[in-house]
């Protein structure tokens, strides 16, 4: 007689946007998922402070104390979708110590405590999977861990925060106000519980750290990422960038060179004909340059319940396959085996070279331009383009936009400081890096 296949028993913690999306994808696609996973994948225990009307929980054990899920011997794998750091960390550690595998979408937790959590999981012979932590539904972690394993990754650059990209796209395309678009992103379930994580670049920094680790075989180094958000960007800068043939995107960039690794998150001008410049709305995209394959691009929904659930379920299916085969995945959590991880130095931002977009308010009188040009030339910075706009009615000052060739940030800082000290310049100089993203 044929033996019934043992289902993989899931304990699901968190019934918010991603939790309810995961619950429903597992229900709606149950048959296909079972066929792919070689076993049914069943939610047997839900841990959530409150029910979600989008989830039909009849017949499923529900606990208000999520730790009960970590302690439940009937659960094979705990899915952590509560977000945040402290409680999520305690929950995952408790599950791992009781021999459960873990699937999580928690980028903050992985970026800040992943090194310790992966070591703990290895000690207990279980795995922690986190495909949903970066770029929502895009299988970028699988691509870096497996698909690109034959390459030295030279660099990667990505739009990795859906909320931020949604805001910039709406500001550019429909001239909407920042605050109004952010409120919509919150209502749509794209934004973090604390949306400053999205708009100040912290969420993107969490994700970049994870991508850089996978790409370069370095430990997770959240403390080392340079982070700038999008709150300082003005509609004016988006328009001027466009006049110059660029779009402004919020990018996470990781590069490997003989000096170490660059890890940075900031607004960036991208030539408008590049694919990344045309990734709009809540979509994310990551461009990865591999030594053998050349440039590859990964694109899709970067936030939202069902897209992120797609990545959570993919991890569950992977795990179910391993469990049916009686052999856990041999792909290490961070792509390189733990003892092969390299502590590469992080290149100081003062040494990081990019072209620059600089905007300033200058007095419209003779000699001003030549003074500015000589400051740049003294720092060895060459000017690629310069635009002087007409003064606004009744104003004596004119917006001056300078595009430079590649220059180290330290040199640009020095030039900007000198320019800001000129009597003919009002206020601060706006600075945005440029990336041409040549493969
Ligand atoms: N708040 C995140 C974003 C959710 O907007 O990208 C997905 O990680």
């Amino acid at each position: 007689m044929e033996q019934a296949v043992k289902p993989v028993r899931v304990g699901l913690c968190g019934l918010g946007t991603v939790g309810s999306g995961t619950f429903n994808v597992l229900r709606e696609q149950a048959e296909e998922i079972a066929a792919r996973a070689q076993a049914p994948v069943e939610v047997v225990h839900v841990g959530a402070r409150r029910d979600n009307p989008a989830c039909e929980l009849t017949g499923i054990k529900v606990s208000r104390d999520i730790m009960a899920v970590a302690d439940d011997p009937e659960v094979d794998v705990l899915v952590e979708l509560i977000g945040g750091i402290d409680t999520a960390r305690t929950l995952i550690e408790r599950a791992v110590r009781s021999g459960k595998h873990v699937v999580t979408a928690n980028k903050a937790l992985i970026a800040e405590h992943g090194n310790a959590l992966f070591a703990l999981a290895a000690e207990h012979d279980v795995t922690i999977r986190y495909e949903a932590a970066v770029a929502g539904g895009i299988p970028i972690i699988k691509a870096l861990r497996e698909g690109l394993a034959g390459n030295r990754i030279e660099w990667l650059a990505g739009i990795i925060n859906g909320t931020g990209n949604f805001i910039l796209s709406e500001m550019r395309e429909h001239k909407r106000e920042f605050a109004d678009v952010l409120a919509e992103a919150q209502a749509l379930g794209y934004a973090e519980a604390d949306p400053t994580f999205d708009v100040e670049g912290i969420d993107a920094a969490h994700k970049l750290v994870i991508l850089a680790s996978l790409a370069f075989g370095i430990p997770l180094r959240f403390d080392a990422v340079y982070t700038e958000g999008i709150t300082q960007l003005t509609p004016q800068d988006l328009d001027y960038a466009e006049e110059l043939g660029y779009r402004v995107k919020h990018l996470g960039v990781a590069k490997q060179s003989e000096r170490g690794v660059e890890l940075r998150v900031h607004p960036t001008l991208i030539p408008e004909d590049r694919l990344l410049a045309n990734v709009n709305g809540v979509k994310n995209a990551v461009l990865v340059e591999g030594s053998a394959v050349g440039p590859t691009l990964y694109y899709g929904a970067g936030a939202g319940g069902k897209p992120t659930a797609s990545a959570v379920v993919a991890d569950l299916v992977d795990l179910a396959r391993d469990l049916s085969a009686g052999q856990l995945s041999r792909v290490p959590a961070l792509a390189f085996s733990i003892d092969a991880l390299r502590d590469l130095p992080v290149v100081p931002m003062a040494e990081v070279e990019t072209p620059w977009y600089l905007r300033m308010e200058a007095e419209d009188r003779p000699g001003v331009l030549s003074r500015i040009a000589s400051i740049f030339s003294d720092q060895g910075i060459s000017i690629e383009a310069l635009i002087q706009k007409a003064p606004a009615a009744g104003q004596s000052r004119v917006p001056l936009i300078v595009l430079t060739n590649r220059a180290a940030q330290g040199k640009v800082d020095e030039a900007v400081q000198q320019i800001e000290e000129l009597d003919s310049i009002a206020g601060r100089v706006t600075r945005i890096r440029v990336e041409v993203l040549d493969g």
Side-chain angles (χ1 to χ4, degrees):
M1 203 173 79
E2 223 176 89
Q3 263 200 316
V5 182
K6 251 179 73 191
V8 173
R9 299 164 305 175
V10 174
L12 176 63
C13 292
L15 275 188
T17 306
V18 182
S20 59
T22 300
F23 183 87
N24 287 319
V25 168
L26 284 171
R27 277 267 160 104
E28 289 156 17
Q29 305 298 328
E31 216 173 296
E32 185 145 349
I33 287 168
R36 291 183 195 266
Q38 298 160 38
V41 179
E42 291 172 2
V43 176
V44 297
H45 196 163
V46 165
R49 275 205 299 262
R50 63 188 78 85
D51 290 356
N52 182 329
C55 302
E56 170 51 55
L57 298 175
T58 311
I60 294 173
K61 198 191 305 178
V62 178
S63 298
R64 296 296 171 220
D65 171 13
I66 51 169
M67 297 301 160
V69 182
D71 296 340
D72 185 348
E74 302 294 310
V75 166
D76 302 309
V77 45
L78 182 138
V79 177
E80 182 276 305
L81 299 173
I82 62 168
I85 300 272
D86 294 337
T87 309
R89 184 177 183 181
T90 307
L91 177 72
I92 289 179
E93 287 176 349
R94 196 149 156 172
V96 165
R97 289 202 168 93
S98 72
K100 292 177 178 51
H101 302 282
V102 171
V103 173
T104 177
N106 195 327
K107 53 261 163 142
L109 184 65
I110 296 296
E112 296 186 33
H113 301 288
N115 298 318
L117 287 172
F118 294 140
L120 183 73
E123 225 176 88
H124 290 269
D125 238 355
V126 295
T127 59
I128 298 177
R129 293 163 200 247
Y130 55 98
E131 181 63 68
V134 181
I138 306 173
I140 183 65
I141 291 181
K142 214 170 183 40
L144 286 167
R145 286 175 76 206
E146 300 172 44
L148 298 176
N151 291 263
R152 172 190 152 97
I153 307 299
E154 310 290 352
W155 55 264
L156 59 84
I159 295 169
I160 46 180
N161 182 266
T163 301
N165 202 43
F166 181 65
I167 293 173
L168 290 181
S169 304
E170 290 291 312
M171 282 173 71
R172 187 185 80 83
E173 284 168 32
H174 303 294
K175 306 290 170 216
R176 291 176 62 193
E177 294 289 332
F178 187 102
D180 165 44
V181 192
L182 174 58
E184 189 183 344
Q186 288 178 282
L188 289 167
Y190 300 157
E192 294 303 295
D194 174 355
T196 55
F197 275 50
D198 296 290
V199 297
E200 295 298 354
I202 302 159
D203 177 75
H206 284 140
K207 294 164 177 167
L208 184 76
V209 166
I210 297 172
L211 293 179
S213 250
L214 290 161
F216 307 142
I218 56 176
L220 296 152
R221 291 282 314 276
F222 179 63
D223 58 309
V225 190
Y226 171 81
T227 306
E228 260 180 53
I230 58 170
T231 48
Q232 307 302 322
L233 290 173
T234 64
Q236 252 179 325
D237 290 313
L238 303 192
D239 287 348
Y240 293 151
E242 200 142 345
E243 275 182 47
L244 288 158
Y246 293 84
R247 298 270 166 82
V248 181
K249 292 290 176 189
H250 191 235
L251 281 195
V253 180
K255 285 191 184 173
Q256 180 169 201
S257 71
E258 62 291 343
R259 285 182 301 154
V261 290
E262 293 176 21
L263 298 173
R264 49 195 170 89
V265 164
H266 48 71
T268 315
L269 266 70
I270 305 175
E272 66 191 359
D273 60 353
R274 299 297 192 269
L275 289 168
L276 273 192
N278 294 284
V279 170
N280 292 314
V282 73
K283 294 291 192 294
N284 280 191
V286 184
L287 181 57
V288 184
E289 176 78 17
S291 55
V293 71
T296 56
L297 182 67
Y298 307 85
Y299 169 85
K306 287 267 174 93
T308 312
S310 160
V312 173
V313 173
D315 275 346
L316 283 169
V317 169
D318 249 1
L319 183 60
R321 287 170 175 155
D322 286 358
L323 296 177
S324 330
Q327 170 72 63
L328 281 183
S329 164
R330 290 181 178 272
V331 187
L334 287 175
F336 286 53
S337 58
I338 289 188
D339 44 4
L341 292 177
R342 307 163 298 164
D343 230 338
L344 298 177
V346 176
V347 180
M349 285 307 289
E351 292 172 25
V352 169
E353 286 185 13
T354 59
W356 291 82
Y357 162 102
L358 306 167
R359 176 173 59 81
M360 56 205 85
E361 293 289 315
E363 291 292 340
D364 190 12
R365 56 178 153 81
V368 174
L369 268 185
S370 71
R371 185 73 197 97
I372 291 169
S374 79
I375 290 175
F376 282 122
S377 128
D378 289 348
Q379 293 300 326
I381 299 169
S382 82
I383 294 174
E384 160 88 20
L386 191 146
I387 304 180
Q388 182 178 316
K389 308 298 292 181
Q395 296 283 322
S396 64
R397 297 199 188 96
V398 290
L400 204 63
I401 296 106
V402 177
L403 262 190
T404 76
N405 286 321
R406 286 177 70 82
Q409 179 175 320
K411 299 279 183 201
V412 173
D413 286 347
E414 185 57 42
V416 163
Q417 190 188 334
Q418 290 180 30
I419 290 170
E420 285 176 346
E421 281 165 8
L422 296 176
D423 291 343
S424 50
I425 297 294
R428 307 297 304 268
V429 175
T430 297
R431 295 184 266 189
I432 311 176
R433 293 170 186 79
V434 179
E435 287 286 346
V436 288
L437 302 174
D438 276 336

